[in-house]
Amino acid sequence: MKTIANFIDGAFVVAAGGRVFEKRSPLNNELIALVSEAGRDEVDAAVTAARAALEGPWGKMTVDERVKLLNAVADEINRRFDDFLAAEVADTGKPRSLASHIDIPRGAANFKIFADVIKNTPTEFFETATPDGRGAINYATRRPVGVVGVVCPWNLPLLLMTWKVGPALACGNTVVVKPSEVTPQTATLLGEVMNAVGIPKGVYNVVHGFGPDSAGEFLTTHKGVNAITFTGETRTGMAIMKAAADGARPVSLEMGGKNPAIVFADADFDAAIEGTLRSAFVNCGQVCLGTERVYVERPIFDRFVAALKAGAEALQIGVPEDPATGMGPLVSLEHQAKVLSYYRKAVEEGATVVTGGGVPAMPGDLAKGAWVQPTIWTGLGDDAAVATEEIFGPCCHVFPFDSEDEVVARANNTEYGLAAAVWTRDLSRAHRVAARMEVGLCWVNSWFLRDLRTPFGGSKNSGIGREGGVHSLEFYTELKNVCIKL
Ligand code: NAD
Ligand code: 6OD
């Protein structure tokens, strides 16, 4: 059986005492690997290596030298594309067609974009008048914040990890990554890439394990970590924020959502259906930006629900390597149990199940996997559990609405504020509604259309801070002002 090791100071390290946990396939629950669980000692070794690397050749490199190395990392990920694809697909069960279009290319692009950003972003310069008439000049410089702890989720493992590691390294920091315990492979593979292209040892480290009383907690409470960047559930983000308060360390938190889509009657109907099918069901609904509440203007409500149902039922559920597969399993049996508990709750609360609501019949061994049906509900009020709590599965509730003011208020009536999708052909309304949405990201007539230079993050309980483009530099560097009296 394959053992997935930690990556510390440029070497693959199995934790002392040989403690391991199981990684099982979401397709059929088969054991596919054992993962070495880092204890306090391994986490400490990783943080120590990361600190030492700041003082080594990495800390002395020019921006140009770092940029060259980060471009080499991206190129090497692309060269080993098939290895990354196989690892990501094995861990998540997602369709190869999806991972090969999104997860792996973005995993590489996250290094290139931030190499460009760091190279091309100037800092401030001011000429300052002084009473003696000689004046002063002020200029700002960016310094790395130091050792960055990177805590990651399982839904887009490589993409979301490199979304943090790319800018952190571009800015000259070193990192200790704690991948999700559910998806340990691609972060580990990236260690091979780092060595292959000559990233100095200790710059990139990976420790495996869980959250509380395991590698996640050991990392985020470690005094040698200068800043923590996190993607995951809101509850976890809050725990990490508390841990970071000790030492007044900065946090960047990308957390949960309960994202609305608003479909006005004047929308391009087919585009709204296609977009909502994607936003509700892609990656088996395991996208933080995904739509779980769909508000449809009453004149097109019945037609919209019928078309969404037809689209959901046309989605082929299957194994990753089948090019016809539109939806794979959820990531684990544990997550399947959570999603199915909401499927039951919706029925208990009186929902009309438009389609789905259960587990699809899968042949042979696949019956042991974490499969669920894409599910659509109608008929519940705004306060129902499936209308208020993040499920993170392939499901949505569709509500009718009658006016713009009403729908904006209802869409905003949530503790979350990550993303919204608005579908309309009325340009004035598009701007008006986008301005009123209490979210960090509002798409109009699209969804998950990404320009990596733009600010990304959530409002309310969906996050703290923004990353992307120059906004990532705000978190991963500390500005220092130098004032020179002339
Ligand atoms: P999670 O919060 O359960 O776990 C995320 C990571 O935190 C894992 O590595 C886990 O081991 C670690 N962790 C858990 N408890 C910890 C603790 N006390 N201290 C330190 N580390 C701890 O999230 P998940 O289930 O892996 O991912 C799904 C969630 O992530 C959903 O809520 C989703 O909305 C959210 N998410 C948000 C974004 C975003 O950009 N806003 C992106 C992707 C996922
Ligand atoms: O596209 C990104 O940069 C990003 N952070 C996406 C997050 C998706 C959440 O599941």
Side-chain angles (χ1 to χ4, degrees):
M1 180 58 53
K2 169 160 88 171
T3 298
I4 298 171
N6 303 283
F7 183 70
I8 300 172
D9 205 15
F12 290 93
V13 175
V14 172
R19 205 157 127 162
V20 291
F21 59 92
E22 292 182 342
K23 168 60 200 167
R24 290 184 174 270
S25 168
L27 301 174
N28 55 12
N29 202 34
E30 188 190 324
L31 182 63
I32 55 175
L34 295 171
V35 187
S36 172
E37 183 177 355
R40 278 191 197 279
D41 287 350
E42 286 76 26
V43 172
D44 186 51
V47 174
T48 304
R51 167 106 9 239
L54 287 168
E55 309 301 327
W58 180 249
K60 297 178 181 61
M61 274 181 202
T62 63
V63 169
D64 279 357
E65 287 167 331
R66 279 206 309 271
V67 161
K68 205 166 152 204
L69 276 176
L70 293 183
N71 280 312
V73 170
D75 293 342
E76 182 67 4
I77 293 174
N78 284 327
R79 197 185 67 76
R80 296 195 58 189
F81 195 92
D82 289 346
D83 297 337
F84 277 95
L85 186 59
E88 203 73 309
V89 165
D91 273 358
T92 59
K94 64 177 77 187
R96 280 175 74 93
S97 55
L98 180 69
S100 60
H101 277 89
I102 297 186
D103 300 66
I104 313 306
R106 262 296 301 279
N110 285 337
F111 287 98
K112 286 217 185 271
I113 175 84
F114 290 106
D116 283 350
V117 170
I118 195 70
K119 205 168 164 181
N120 295 308
T121 305
T123 52
E124 301 149 76
F125 171 85
F126 290 103
E127 289 177 316
T128 308
T130 56
D132 64 7
R134 285 158 60 193
I137 57 170
N138 285 275
Y139 60 89
T141 57
R142 289 191 183 278
R143 290 282 163 262
V145 288
V147 177
V148 180
V150 184
V151 183
C152 308
W154 45 255
N155 60 321
L156 299 161
L158 182 71
L159 185 160
L160 291 174
M161 186 260 292
T162 53
W163 172 244
K164 310 289 200 172
V165 171
L169 298 191
C171 293
N173 301 286
T174 58
V175 296
V176 181
V177 174
K178 211 299 278 171
S180 167
E181 54 275 30
V182 187
T183 51
Q185 297 204 57
T186 44
T188 312
L189 198 49
L190 191 58
E192 292 181 20
V193 166
M194 296 290 175
N195 281 350
V197 304
I199 295 279
K201 63 191 178 106
V203 170
Y204 173 81
N205 304 274
V206 180
V207 289
H208 292 296
F210 302 84
D213 201 26
S214 184
E217 183 184 319
F218 303 154
L219 178 63
T220 52
T221 54
H222 197 293
K223 298 286 186 293
V225 171
N226 300 105
I228 302 165
T229 183
F230 165 79
T231 307
E233 280 189 21
T234 297
R235 215 179 26 212
T236 312
M238 289 177 177
I240 286 178
M241 195 169 178
K242 283 186 187 139
D246 194 2
R249 294 166 303 155
V251 288
S252 172
L253 305 178
E254 291 178 3
M255 308 195 285
K258 188 72 187 175
N259 310 303
I262 302 177
V263 185
F264 287 96
D266 68 3
D268 175 335
F269 187 86
D270 292 342
I273 287 290
E274 191 276 327
T276 309
L277 283 169
R278 238 168 27 87
S279 69
F281 303 126
V282 78
N283 207 34
C284 204
Q286 303 164 120
V287 180
C288 60
L289 313 159
T291 302
E292 291 191 357
R293 298 181 290 145
V294 186
Y295 298 90
V296 181
E297 204 165 4
R298 201 173 299 272
I300 60 163
F301 181 79
D302 290 342
R303 188 173 152 229
F304 189 92
V305 171
L308 202 65
K309 168 179 156 67
E313 290 174 356
L315 267 176
Q316 189 164 314
I317 299 175
V319 292
E321 32 300 321
D322 184 345
T325 295
M327 205 177 94
L330 292 167
V331 77
S332 65
L333 291 181
E334 193 188 351
H335 191 51
Q336 184 201 38
K338 175 184 165 186
V339 171
L340 289 177
S341 77
Y342 279 101
Y343 284 16
R344 283 193 298 277
K345 210 175 277 186
V347 173
E348 284 158 20
E349 290 190 303
T352 299
V353 182
V354 175
T355 189
V359 176
M362 300 302 288
D365 254 16
L366 295 179
K368 298 183 201 145
W371 308 91
V372 292
Q373 292 174 319
T375 295
I376 300 169
W377 303 287
T378 57
L380 291 177
D382 289 358
D383 57 352
V386 299
T388 53
E389 296 169 25
E390 184 186 49
I391 303 169
F392 221 55
C395 52
C396 60
H397 189 287
V398 194
F399 304 88
F401 73 88
D402 294 299
S403 79
E404 186 178 309
D405 282 348
E406 172 210 334
V407 76
V408 167
R410 289 172 67 192
N412 283 336
N413 185 19
T414 165
E415 68 185 90
Y416 294 110
L418 186 54
V422 178
W423 299 88
T424 178
R425 283 185 165 117
D426 179 334
L427 193 57
S428 301
R429 173 149 58 198
H431 287 292
R432 209 165 49 230
V433 173
R436 295 175 71 190
M437 295 312 298
E438 296 168 359
V439 292
L441 303 149
C442 185
W443 278 285
V444 176
N445 297 331
S446 63
W447 175 78
F448 204 173
L449 172 60
R450 294 282 287 119
D451 180 327
L452 306 186
R453 297 167 297 184
T454 58
F456 183 99
S459 308
K460 302 198 243 178
N461 281 357
S462 290
I464 293 196
R466 295 291 179 270
E467 297 197 32
V470 294
H471 310 285
S472 294
L473 305 193
E474 298 306 324
F475 182 72
Y476 295 105
T477 62
E478 205 153 47
L479 278 167
K480 183 198 301 186
N481 188 68
V482 179
C483 176
I484 300 186
K485 176 73 170 51
L486 299 174

